[in-house]
Amino acid sequence: MNGIGSICVYCGSSNAGPPAHREMAATLGRGMVTRDIDLVYGGGRVGVMGAIADAVMAAGGRVTGVIPDFLMKHEVGHTALSALEIVETMHERKARMAELSDAFIVLPGGLGTLEELFEIVTWRQLGLHDKPVVAINPDGYWDPLRALIERAVETKYARPENAGLLAFADSPEGALDWLAGQAGRETHLDSDRL
Ligand code: AMP
């Protein structure tokens, strides 16, 4: 990874959350286009997912969605992206999103977002990849998660250095600046073991 060319963004598929989260997703999307970074995401047209995809497309950027067939049929697939890859399974989707990306950003979301967050962090903990992961935490949304991770370290279930595999930023610009500081090293992804 000599620079960040593409970022996978994990975020909520619901429109019911605070509008500020969808606005922040749009700000992140525009910031990525300014920096010439492509978006990789789960291919939905709703919620925070739809907000970031629409913002990147509107700003003239490139978006690749990766969605399983069954979700595409059930309503939520975005049909106006640069590319939409339709896969068979959720596992295939997540592996493909990881392959296509140089880094990962987590925005507010629900249980699916939490699952994706922990999967990518624990894949890194196991050495299956070494791409950076940062969560944007503007209004303290992720504070309970940070506290739980700290608890796991205090209790010695997690190593302090592994807790550090998930970074936190206060804003989209803060996350992009932090990722820019991580670039310039080689990264790998062990696709056969995911
Ligand atoms: P949510 O945060 O629950 O709105 O979900 C955000 C994204 O996570 C959506 O693209 C969902 O398809 C995806 N998702 C939901 N459940 C899971 C799961 N069990 N494993 C992986 N991804 C999921």
Side-chain angles (χ1 to χ4, degrees), residues 31-186:
M32 289 169 60
V33 175
T34 302
R35 295 175 193 231
D36 203 18
I37 297 171
D38 296 349
L39 171 66
V40 175
Y41 84 120
R45 65 176 160 76
V46 285
V48 186
M49 298 175 76
I52 189 169
D54 289 344
V56 172
M57 292 304 292
R62 186 174 163 78
V63 180
T64 299
V66 185
I67 194 164
D69 192 38
F70 78 93
L71 279 182
M72 193 67 199
K73 285 183 194 133
H74 281 75
E75 54 18 59
V76 288
H78 202 306
T79 50
L81 305 175
S82 318
L84 183 65
E85 296 191 12
I86 300 176
V87 295
E88 294 283 313
T89 67
M90 295 295 277
H91 286 294
E92 241 182 285
R93 175 204 222 180
K94 293 182 289 177
R96 185 66 182 143
M97 286 163 70
E99 273 165 17
L100 290 170
S101 309
D102 297 319
F104 306 91
I105 290 181
V106 188
L107 292 174
L111 301 184
T113 304
L114 283 167
E115 196 275 347
E116 292 169 325
L117 180 164
F118 275 111
E119 184 168 70
I120 204 66
V121 170
T122 51
W123 280 352
R124 188 162 177 196
Q125 176 176 285
L126 293 169
L128 298 176
H129 74 91
D130 62 355
K131 303 179 185 185
V133 188
V134 56
I136 305 180
N137 189 32
D139 53 8
Y141 183 77
W142 295 119
D143 286 356
L145 177 79
R146 294 181 84 162
L148 183 60
I149 293 172
E150 279 164 26
R151 180 79 184 272
V153 171
E154 283 161 17
T155 316
K156 302 196 188 312
Y157 284 120
R159 291 170 179 268
E161 63 270 27
N162 287 337
L165 295 178
L166 174 62
F168 289 90
D170 292 334
S171 66
E173 281 304 299
L176 292 172
D177 286 347
W178 182 80
L179 287 177
Q182 303 293 305
R185 62 184 174 81
E186 289 300 315

Side-chain angles (χ1 to χ4, degrees), residues 8-21:
C8 175
V9 176
Y10 302 123
C11 57
S13 59
S14 171
N15 275 319
H21 290 170

